[in-house]
Amino acid sequence: MKAPVKLGVAIIAALAAACSQDNGNSNGAPEASAASADFQKQLLKQLIQAQPGDVIEIPEGHYQLNRSLSLNVDGVTIRGAGMDKTILSFKDQIQGAEGLLVNASDFTLEDLAIEDTIGDALKVNEGKNIIIRNIRVEWTNGPSTENGAYGIYPVQTENTLLEGNVAIGASDAGIYVGQSRNVIVRNNRAEFNVAGIEIENTIGADVYDNVATNNTGGILVFNMPNLPQPGHSTRVYNNKVYKNNTDNFGHDGTPVAAVPAGSGVVINSNDYVEIFNNEISDNDTANVIVSSYFAAGYYSDKSTQENFDPYPEGIYIYNNTFTGGGTSPDHMELKALKIAKFGLTGSLPDVMWDGAVDKKKMVDGKLPDDLKLCIENEGVGIINVDVMNNYKNITTDVTQHHCSLKKLPQIVLDFDNKQEAPQEEQHAVNEVTDA
Amino acid sequence: MRKIYWGAVLALMLAGCGAPREAVTIHERNAIPDNLSDWHVVEAIDGKLALNDRVTPYDLNTALFTDYAHKLRTVWMPEGSSAAYGEDDFDYPVGTIISKTFYYPLAADGSVLKTDDYSQDFAGSGLNLKKVKLIETRMLVKRADGWQALPYVWNEAQTDAVLEIAGDATRLQLASDDGSSEGFTYVVPDANQCSGCHADNHTQKATRPIGPRARHLNKDYAYQGGTENQLLYWQQVGYLSGLPELAQVPHNVSYSDTSVSLEERARSYLDINCGHCHNPKGAADTSGLMLYSAEHNMRRLGVCKPPVAAGTGSGDRLFAIVPGSPDASILNFRVESTDPGAMMPELGRSLVHKEGTELLKEWIATMPGNCS
C-alpha cells in the first residue's frame, strides 16, 4: 500500500509559495479560481497516474470543477474529509456526462460530496468489489427536471456495497444499481429524487436500514427489457419509506417517469422480491405497488425483446408496518378508482397490484405457489386493478394472497466485516441464484 | 545538455537543407517526453508540420466528428514489421506509432474556418503552418502490453506541442463561409478520456485504434506519388500483411457520398461516431443500444427501443428511433444537443455536426413503419 497522497496540502503549499513571491496580492477572487483550476488539474493527473493501492485524499474544501473526472485503475481509494466538508461542485461543468466516472475494480469512494453535476454524479461502469460510503450527491436547487439523472450509479458491477450515503434531487434515481450482481444497499438516505433507491436488472440485492422520503417513489425494484441481464432476488427490509409524494419531475420516456407520485415501494416486472419489516407510511398513491411492464404503458412487441418476462413473480410481502397512504393517488384513473371504490374520504389499500399474470404458466387456472404474490401482513388490504382487461374486474380479495414463499438467502460480501454471518437456519438455502 | 544542444542544431540544419531528419524515436512507457518533437513523427520544421520518413498519412471513409476540426492522421511502424490484417481489427506490431493532429484552417482575423476544403492546408508533405492553427496531436503507441494514449497540446507559436495528460480547454471562434461565426470551447480530452472511447471492449479496458481498421481505411488516398487504395499502399510499403482480395474487405462509405444509399451513409456515420461505445462489449452496452456496423437487429439499433437510463438525454421522447419521425426520436435529440448531460457522443464535441445530424434526420424520416 502506498502512502496516501494529500492533494490539497500540496496545492495549498504551492499557492502559498506563489503568494509569498507575489508580495501580497490582496485580490482574492482570481486566486480562488486559479486555485480551483490548479486543484482540478492536479486531481485529474492523480486519477490518471494512479497506481493500484493508492489512496487519494482530498482535504476539507469547496472545490469548483468544470470537467468530469475519471478513474480506470483498479485498487484505488478516493477519500474526502466528510460529506459536508469535502465538496466537489460541478455547477459550471462544461464537459463530461458525469462528475466522476469509474471503470475499475476494488474501488472505494468515501467521505465527500459531489454537487450539481450536469449529468450523473457518480457512475461506476463495470467493476468488482466496489464500496461507496458516506458520499453525498446533491442537486442543491431541489427537485427539478433540469437536474442530472442519477446520483450514485453502479452499473454492471459485482460485489457492491453502498452505505451511509445521501442522495438528493436526482431527476431519475438518487441511488441506482443497474445490471449488477451481489449488492448491499444499507443505511442510506434518499430524498427529493424521482426514484429514491432503484434496483434494476440486478441479481441478488439486500436493501435495508435505509430512509426514503419525499421522493416520487421511495424504493424501486425494476426489470427493463432489451438489456443483457434480467434481474431477480432482492430483499427490501428494515427501511423507513414515508411520504414519497413529490410530483414526478422525470423526463418523459424514462422508465421512472411512469411512477405515480406517492409510491412507497414499487416492484415492476422483477421476480423473487421480499418486502419485510419495513415501516412504510403516508405514500399518497400506495405504500406498495406490484406491477408489470404492461402497466408502465411502454410495452409493445416492437419495443420489447422476445424473451422478456414482464410479470412480477414470487413476490413476498410480510411483517411490515403500514400507516396511512393511498389517500390521494396520482394519475387520473387511480384517482377515479379510489373515489369509485373507497369514496371521497377513503383510501386505496396498502398494496396495489396490476393483476397481470402469465397465463402460460398457469396450472388448473392458477399460478403455481412459488410464482404468486404472497402477503403475510396483518390487516393489509390489496387492490387488483386488472390492467390486462382494461380495469374491468377490479377486486380487493386478499385471501388468494394468503400464502408464504421460501425465503431468499442473505447477500454476503467478503470485504464486509460489519455484516452478521448469514443465518442459515432462518433463511433456507435458495437455489434461485441464476434463473 | 551539450548533446541535446548539438542535436537540435543538427536537426535544424538538416531540415534547412531538406536532408534527412533524426529518425522516429520510440520512448519507453515510463519515459514519455514532454515535447512532441522528441518523437520525430510530426514536427514543425521550416514553416510546415512535416512528416518524417516512412510516416504515412491516411484518412477514413467516414471520420469521427470533432467540432469541425481537420485531422492529419499518420501511421509509422518499425522497419521490418507490419500489421496483420484482421477483418475487424488489425494486429499492429509493437512500436507502432499512430498520430492524429487536430487543426483548423486559419482566417486572416485569427478565427478558425469551418470548411471541408483541405486543399489549402497542405504544403508539400506536411501542413502549411501559415494557413492552419494547430490544436493538439494525439499519439497512440503500441507497447508489448497494449496501446498507450498520449495527448499533446500545441503552443501558441506552433513550434512544438507539450504533453498534457490532464487535457486542456481552449476558446475558439469558428467562422463559416456564409459570414456567420460562433464561439465555442474546444476541449482536449484527458488521457483517461482517450481510453473512454478507445477501449471498445470496456471490460478488458484495452485501448485500441478506432479509425485505422479495414472498413474505414478501404478507400483511395492521394499520395505524393499518385492516388491509390490505402490498404494496397500499406501492403506495398510493408505496413500490412495478410490482406485478402480487396473485394473481400469490408468498407464503410463516406457519409457525404450521395451516390450511395441513405442507409449505408447513416450506418457508416453511426459506426465511426457511436460504435466504439455502442457495441456489445462497449461502455454503452448498459443501454442495450447497438450502433456499430455489424448490428442487424432493428430494435437493438434503436427502432422503437425505449430508453433505460437516458435521464435528461431522453429529451422527453419515448423511443431511440421512431420510424418516419426524427423529431420524436431520442437518437436525433441526443446528437443535436450540446448539453453535456444529454448529448452524444458524450465527449469530443462542443458543437452540433449539422451535416451529420441532417443525414440522420433524413434517414429516420424515410424509415418505414411505426412504434404503435
Side-chain angles (χ1 to χ4, degrees), chain B residues 49-280:
Chain B
L49 184 73
L51 274 49
N52 208 341
D53 193 28
R54 297 178 63 251
V55 172
T56 302
Y58 66 88
D59 68 6
L60 311 175
N61 277 310
T62 290
L64 176 85
F65 171 77
T66 311
D67 286 342
Y68 291 100
H70 286 197
K71 299 171 187 181
L72 174 63
R73 304 172 186 81
T74 73
V75 61
W76 176 90
M77 295 174 212
E79 198 94 45
S81 63
S82 62
Y85 178 87
E87 189 173 293
D88 189 49
D89 205 5
F90 295 171
D91 186 5
Y92 283 92
V94 171
T96 300
I97 301 176
I98 290 170
S99 86
K100 183 154 72 159
T101 299
F102 294 67
Y103 66 93
Y104 289 89
L106 199 56
D109 65 354
S111 58
V112 298
L113 292 172
K114 176 177 164 180
T115 171
D116 288 335
D117 180 7
Y118 275 68
S119 64
Q120 301 303 306
D121 305 351
F122 292 96
S125 61
L127 295 176
N128 184 346
L129 292 177
K130 287 198 188 71
K131 297 269 182 81
V132 302
K133 180 176 178 60
L134 302 177
I135 308 291
E136 55 163 329
T137 296
R138 300 181 192 169
M139 305 273 282
L140 276 177
V141 184
K142 180 75 183 284
R143 310 295 187 182
D145 59 350
W147 291 91
Q148 184 177 22
L150 299 165
Y152 284 88
V153 176
W154 281 88
N155 63 21
E156 201 62 36
Q158 310 209 123
T159 54
D160 209 339
V162 175
L163 183 66
E164 288 284 4
I165 62 161
D168 195 25
T170 324
R171 279 301 287 179
L172 292 175
Q173 196 68 30
L174 186 72
S176 299
D177 293 343
D178 62 8
S180 68
S181 176
E182 59 183 321
F184 72 101
T185 302
Y186 183 99
V187 181
V188 176
D190 68 48
N192 275 357
Q193 291 170 330
C194 292
S195 54
C197 290
H198 280 271
D200 62 347
N201 183 324
H202 190 244
T203 310
Q204 293 175 354
K205 288 193 263 187
T207 294
R208 299 196 299 181
I210 297 170
R213 296 180 182 193
R215 65 183 184 274
H216 303 305
L217 290 171
N218 189 0
K219 71 180 291 266
D220 287 346
Y221 188 87
Y223 296 101
Q224 280 194 308
T227 297
E228 197 157 355
N229 179 284
Q230 294 186 123
L231 297 172
L232 292 177
Y233 183 86
W234 285 32
Q235 187 181 43
Q236 281 162 28
V237 300
Y239 275 5
L240 186 58
S241 60
L243 178 68
E245 287 293 310
L246 269 195
Q248 315 294 319
V249 178
H251 72 100
N252 279 12
V253 302
S254 161
Y255 85 99
S256 59
D257 179 0
T258 51
S259 73
V260 294
S261 72
L262 257 182
E263 167 91 11
E264 284 178 278
R265 293 167 60 202
R267 290 302 302 271
S268 291
Y269 187 81
L270 292 173
D271 185 38
I272 193 74
N273 280 282
C274 320
H276 46 88
C277 280
H278 285 275
N279 73 70

Side-chain angles (χ1 to χ4, degrees), chain A residues 162-168 174-175 185-193 195-198 207-215 217-219 236-244 264-265 278-281 283:
Chain A
L162 309 182
E163 69 173 348
N165 303 294
V166 174
I168 300 170
I175 294 173
V185 179
R186 70 177 174 221
N187 197 29
N188 302 281
R189 184 176 181 89
E191 278 193 271
F192 295 107
N193 308 284
I197 296 169
E198 182 170 2
V207 180
Y208 59 95
D209 291 342
N210 302 284
V211 173
T213 184
N214 287 320
N215 306 285
I219 297 177
V236 177
Y237 60 100
N238 292 0
N239 301 286
K240 291 188 169 63
V241 185
Y242 60 96
K243 291 187 183 163
N244 290 288
V265 177
N278 300 285
E279 290 175 35
I280 308 179
S281 61
N283 301 290

Side-chain angles (χ1 to χ4, degrees), chain A residues 40-41 44-45 47-49 67-74 93-98 101-105 118-120 123 125-126 145-150 153 155-156 171-172 176 179 200 224-228 250-255 293 298 300-306, chain B residues 163-169 185 187-193 195-196 202-205 281-290 299-300 303-319 330 338-344 346-348 350 369-372:
Chain A
Q40 171 161 318
K41 198 165 184 177
L44 280 166
K45 281 190 174 174
L47 293 168
I48 292 162
Q49 294 173 331
R67 300 177 55 177
S68 65
L69 307 170
S70 59
L71 174 74
N72 297 339
V73 180
D74 292 345
Q93 190 174 1
I94 57 164
Q95 185 234 28
E98 303 85 12
L101 173 64
V102 178
N103 169 220
S105 290
I118 203 152
D120 306 325
K123 183 174 182 180
N125 190 349
E126 293 194 36
T145 306
E146 302 312 309
N147 293 351
Y150 297 98
Y153 176 12
V155 61
Q156 294 184 352
S171 68
D172 203 304
Y176 172 101
Q179 302 172 53
E200 191 167 276
M224 294 292 295
N226 310 318
L227 293 176
H251 287 269
D252 286 350
T254 59
Y293 195 59
Y298 299 138
S300 85
D301 292 345
K302 289 176 186 167
S303 67
T304 309
Q305 81 207 60
E306 268 172 41
Chain B
L163 183 66
E164 288 284 4
I165 62 161
D168 195 25
T185 302
V187 181
V188 176
D190 68 48
N192 275 357
Q193 291 170 330
S195 54
H202 190 244
T203 310
Q204 293 175 354
K205 288 193 263 187
K281 290 173 178 166
D285 67 341
T286 57
S287 68
L289 182 67
M290 301 300 154
R299 196 192 52 256
R300 283 201 295 271
V303 176
C304 302
K305 183 193 164 299
V308 176
T312 320
S314 82
D316 291 342
R317 302 174 183 191
L318 301 184
F319 304 108
I330 294 170
T338 53
D339 171 358
M343 72 176 194
M344 285 288 161
E346 292 178 341
L347 297 171
S350 303
N370 60 63
C371 292
S372 50

